[in-house]
Amino acid sequence: MNPAEPIPVGLLGATGMVGQQFVRQLAGHPWFRLAWLGASDRSAGRSYGEATHWVQDRRMPAELAGMVVRAGAPAADCPRLVFSAMHASVAGPIEESFARAGHVVLSNARNHRMGADVPLVVPEVNPEHLGLIARQRRERGWPGAIVTNPNCSTITLALALAPLRGLGIRRVIVSTLQAVSGAGYPGLAAVDVLGNAIPFIGGEEERLATETLKVLGEVRVDEEGIDPHGAVVSAHCNRVATVDGHLLCVSVELAARPTPAEVRAALAEFRGRPQELGLPTAPARPVQVVEGPDRPQPRRDAMAGLGMAVSVGRVRECPILGIKFAALGHNTIRGAAGASVLNAELLVAEGLLS
Ligand code: NAP
């Protein structure tokens, strides 16, 4: 279903790193028109141009620079569909207040992701999890809803593992090299990260394991919840001095014991619901298998599929778990704003917004 008129949308956390990426993703979007901007009290009442320390490599859209930023509270003129890029320290109750007021909130924040009645969706991997919206509305009495996308490294891992589900995923070991833009703005002090690598990102290893298993999980027969995937995931998360693009080194044990060539074929053939529906920002190939002994690389591959495709390379035998490879995803596009926009396109196309 293509909307006859662009649908007005709101954006909470519009001034931050992910918020700015939303602004980029929504500029010229064929289905959505950014009509309302929200942020903290620090920004409320100021123009978007004044309140935002713009760090994108394209200019701020002129029509937004003069738009007045609003406080993070439901307002009569806020559209029904609202994206959220708020800091996790504040996102939980604010997103709930919007859902209670009738808004459908598409959130990047971690607060509600693991809720038993909250869809945690990567549209190519688990579009059927949107069925949880019915339970959420029934139990919470909300006229609106909260739909979440996983964190940036989880989206890359889930997209790289989803094509292998039919081969029986048993155990996964993943080590990440995560870009500084993943820490928001101003993020890390230059003196801490330049020429350095930090082997700790608070809570990220637990999130990478639990969110991946929820996304790869199955809707229970009674449709009341999600049974997480039965695999075991062990994660090591590291911050490195790249700007955009999280690189993941993955070893995986698959029950079917496929060859590297069979794994490459499964990855390259993978398509999902967004590709079937021809959603506007769906990449033609959600997983791109890259050749070359030194790929994928953040600088060269993060923008694959306009930042919406995950690049996988170096698929080879692992002497311990069977198969290993490197996977790369753009953390603020496929890993955040672009993920939410694709979720919104799926909701519209499936008629779930009404
Ligand atoms: P950020 O740069 O620190 O931006 C945080 C945003 O939250 C700002 O717009 C800020 O507004 C707003 N905010 C703070 N307090 C608020 C309040 N009380 N009411 C309304 N808005 C408030 O963070 P970020 O990196 O963009 O991350 C945003 C969210 O996305 C976080 O939950 C993060 O975990 C998640 N995420 C980030 C990435 C990534 O790669 N960066 C990837 C996936 C998910 P002011 O400017 O007015 O303070």
Side-chain angles (χ1 to χ4, degrees), residues 12-20 38-44 51-52 69-73 84-91 94 107-111 113 149-153 155 179-187 207 239 246 331-333 335-337:
L12 286 158
T15 49
M17 185 73 88
V18 172
Q20 294 180 29
S40 75
D41 290 344
R42 178 194 73 79
S43 306
T52 305
V69 178
R70 311 288 293 275
S84 168
M86 282 184 292
H87 206 274
S89 59
V90 298
I94 296 177
S107 175
N108 273 260
R110 63 172 171 267
N111 310 62
R113 287 181 191 145
N149 51 260
N151 88 337
C152 35
S153 46
I155 293 179
V180 290
S181 60
Y185 187 85
R207 282 194 290 277
R239 186 74 68 193
H246 291 350
N331 53 298
T332 62
I333 302 180

